[in-house]
Amino acid sequence: MQTIDHDAVAASSPLAADAETRGTDDHHESLRLWLRLLTCTQMVEREIRARLRERFSITLARFDLLAQLERHPQGLRMGELSRRMMVTGGNVTGLTSELVAEGLVDRAPAPEDRRAFAVRLTPKGKAAFDAMAAEHEQWVIGMLAEVSAPDRATLYQMLGTLKRSVSRMQEAT
Amino acid sequence: MQTIDHDAVAASSPLAADAETRGTDDHHESLRLWLRLLTCTQMVEREIRARLRERFSITLARFDLLAQLERHPQGLRMGELSRRMMVTGGNVTGLTSELVAEGLVDRAPAPEDRRAFAVRLTPKGKAAFDAMAAEHEQWVIGMLAEVSAPDRATLYQMLGTLKRSVSRMQEAT
DNA sequence: AGAAATTAGTTTAGTTCTAAAATAAACCCG
DNA sequence: CGGGTTTATTTTAGAACTAAACTAATTTCT
């Protein structure tokens, strides 16, 4: 796949930095950081998508859905899946139907709410996911291998701050 | 928009950590880091996409294409755009055609290679982009505001390492 | 209780992107 | 030179996602 990044928008100021724009100059820093973040994510995501497809003929979205269910053996509702996966409800409907058809998940009416469903992994789905997840984790470990363990910890922590920062701005809208 | 993340795959080990898996135990760390990276990027990307649409009726891909051209006033070829934007050539063809139709970019035959084109911003495109870029940058600054400047610098540097790490693994395939 | 509002999920129509095949020009090399 | 290969772009078919409208069940309010 491609490896050239596109840290380009950062150069897009109407004017070059001069004495007057000094104060806001470090702001390009935010832009560059965002573009680098985007590039990193796209690179990893693309690689994982490609490998999931060629190795297991599964899409990232379906894998993600299985991962959510693996973490919640008691079952999740469609809406919960939608929120956690950050995709629309319509998308979850489609993904779930396919996975049900393949026998990997099970969609049972929720006992307490006749509008809702409890979606769970079937034993077959659990087994399939476990096999995929093990390989998937090795891919990720490999891709991040050159980042030292302490740096990974630092990154994790700082991205946590970033996540909260974005959340707060969204609330403020 | 949604704010719940999906750091879920991290819990997907076939077996819980025990004495034997101790050595690889810290690996979940990589998985968690990747999922957090993905969540952060998706949150920012979604927000920017939504704002570009409602504020300027433009997609992120088109904005990105303009950004690439703004950085290269001498013009870029379609293939260059494809590589830098990390999208397929077919996509670039479509995006460029639309932007040409809107008068924002200009696609002229390359003098030295009759197969190729030099794509550039028109003055109108440059003006439109400058206006959008200024606002766009403020959005990004706002979203990252709660990350301190030193932390942003650290993140930038570490993500650079991460990028190289992923690149090297891709080559090794 | 019963109308209005909310919530859960599905459907529909349309957008955006990709992968792979097709086209066409340029390069390479015996 | 001329056949085979590579490179640049476009076309085609289709996958994956979204937004918005819809159906149906639940909750709320008076």
Side-chain angles (χ1 to χ4, degrees):
Chain A
M1 297 284 138
Q2 359 281 45
T3 50
I4 292 182
D5 73 323
H6 56 183
D7 291 18
V9 190
S12 62
S13 74
L15 297 167
D18 63 6
E20 289 204 344
T21 58
R22 270 276 126 191
T24 59
D25 195 27
D26 72 318
H27 287 157
H28 277 316
E29 199 200 303
S30 292
L31 205 39
R32 284 182 201 282
L33 173 53
W34 157 235
L35 292 168
R36 180 161 285 183
L37 190 68
L38 180 58
T39 301
C40 285
T41 300
Q42 286 182 338
M43 287 172 69
V44 175
E45 194 174 344
R46 226 163 256 272
E47 188 70 23
I48 290 176
R49 248 179 230 287
R51 291 191 188 204
L52 281 175
R53 186 156 47 82
E54 66 186 48
R55 194 78 186 77
F56 302 114
S57 303
I58 195 172
T59 63
L60 184 52
R62 277 153 55 156
F63 181 75
D64 191 14
L65 198 157
L66 296 179
Q68 298 295 338
L69 296 182
E70 207 264 352
R71 205 183 195 187
H72 297 273
Q74 78 285 7
L76 286 174
R77 292 178 170 203
M78 309 290 280
E80 266 293 302
L81 283 168
S82 171
R83 257 176 285 127
R84 289 176 189 276
M85 296 173 68
M86 301 205 267
V87 299
T88 59
N91 194 5
V92 171
T93 298
L95 293 169
T96 305
S97 299
E98 294 167 17
L99 291 167
V100 168
E102 292 170 40
L104 299 179
V105 314
D106 159 76
R107 176 172 44 186
E112 77 289 2
D113 187 338
R114 279 190 300 162
R115 297 169 303 180
F117 296 99
V119 184
R120 296 185 195 204
L121 282 184
T122 61
K124 178 181 171 188
K126 170 91 172 92
F129 176 73
D130 285 347
M132 293 188 281
E135 269 199 58
H136 168 266
E137 180 163 9
Q138 292 308 311
W139 302 336
V140 174
I141 289 170
M143 288 191 250
L144 305 194
E146 289 184 30
V147 181
S148 71
D151 282 3
R152 288 198 299 267
T154 304
L155 272 172
Y156 186 77
Q157 179 263 314
M158 287 181 178
L159 288 175
T161 306
L162 199 161
K163 199 162 91 175
R164 283 189 299 275
S165 183
V166 177
S167 291
R168 289 196 73 206
M169 142 143 293
Q170 285 172 332
E171 290 162 16
T173 309
Chain B
M1 297 284 135
Q2 0 279 47
T3 51
I4 293 180
D5 73 323
H6 56 185
D7 292 16
V9 190
S12 62
S13 73
L15 296 168
D18 63 5
E20 290 204 345
T21 58
R22 270 274 126 190
T24 58
D25 195 25
D26 72 319
H27 287 157
H28 277 315
E29 200 199 301
S30 291
L31 205 38
R32 284 182 200 281
L33 172 54
W34 156 236
L35 292 168
R36 181 162 284 185
L37 189 69
L38 180 59
T39 301
C40 285
T41 300
Q42 286 182 339
M43 287 172 68
V44 175
E45 193 174 344
R46 224 164 258 269
E47 188 71 23
I48 289 178
R49 247 179 232 286
R51 292 191 189 205
L52 282 176
R53 186 156 47 82
E54 66 185 49
R55 194 76 187 77
F56 302 115
S57 303
I58 196 173
T59 63
L60 184 52
R62 277 153 57 155
F63 180 75
D64 191 14
L65 197 157
L66 296 179
Q68 298 296 337
L69 295 182
E70 207 262 353
R71 205 183 194 188
H72 298 274
Q74 79 284 7
L76 285 174
R77 292 180 170 201
M78 309 289 280
E80 267 293 302
L81 283 168
S82 171
R83 256 175 286 126
R84 288 176 189 276
M85 296 173 66
M86 300 205 268
V87 299
T88 59
N91 193 6
V92 171
T93 297
L95 293 169
T96 304
S97 300
E98 294 166 17
L99 291 168
V100 168
E102 293 172 38
L104 298 179
V105 314
D106 160 76
R107 174 172 45 186
E112 77 290 0
D113 187 337
R114 280 190 299 161
R115 296 169 303 180
F117 296 99
V119 184
R120 295 184 195 204
L121 281 184
T122 61
K124 178 180 170 190
K126 170 92 173 92
F129 176 74
D130 285 348
M132 292 188 282
E135 269 199 58
H136 168 264
E137 179 163 9
Q138 291 309 311
W139 301 336
V140 174
I141 289 169
M143 288 192 251
L144 306 193
E146 288 185 30
V147 181
S148 71
D151 283 3
R152 288 198 300 265
T154 303
L155 273 172
Y156 186 77
Q157 179 263 316
M158 287 180 177
L159 289 174
T161 306
L162 199 160
K163 200 162 89 175
R164 283 189 299 278
S165 184
V166 178
S167 291
R168 289 196 71 208
M169 144 144 290
Q170 285 173 331
E171 289 162 17
T173 310

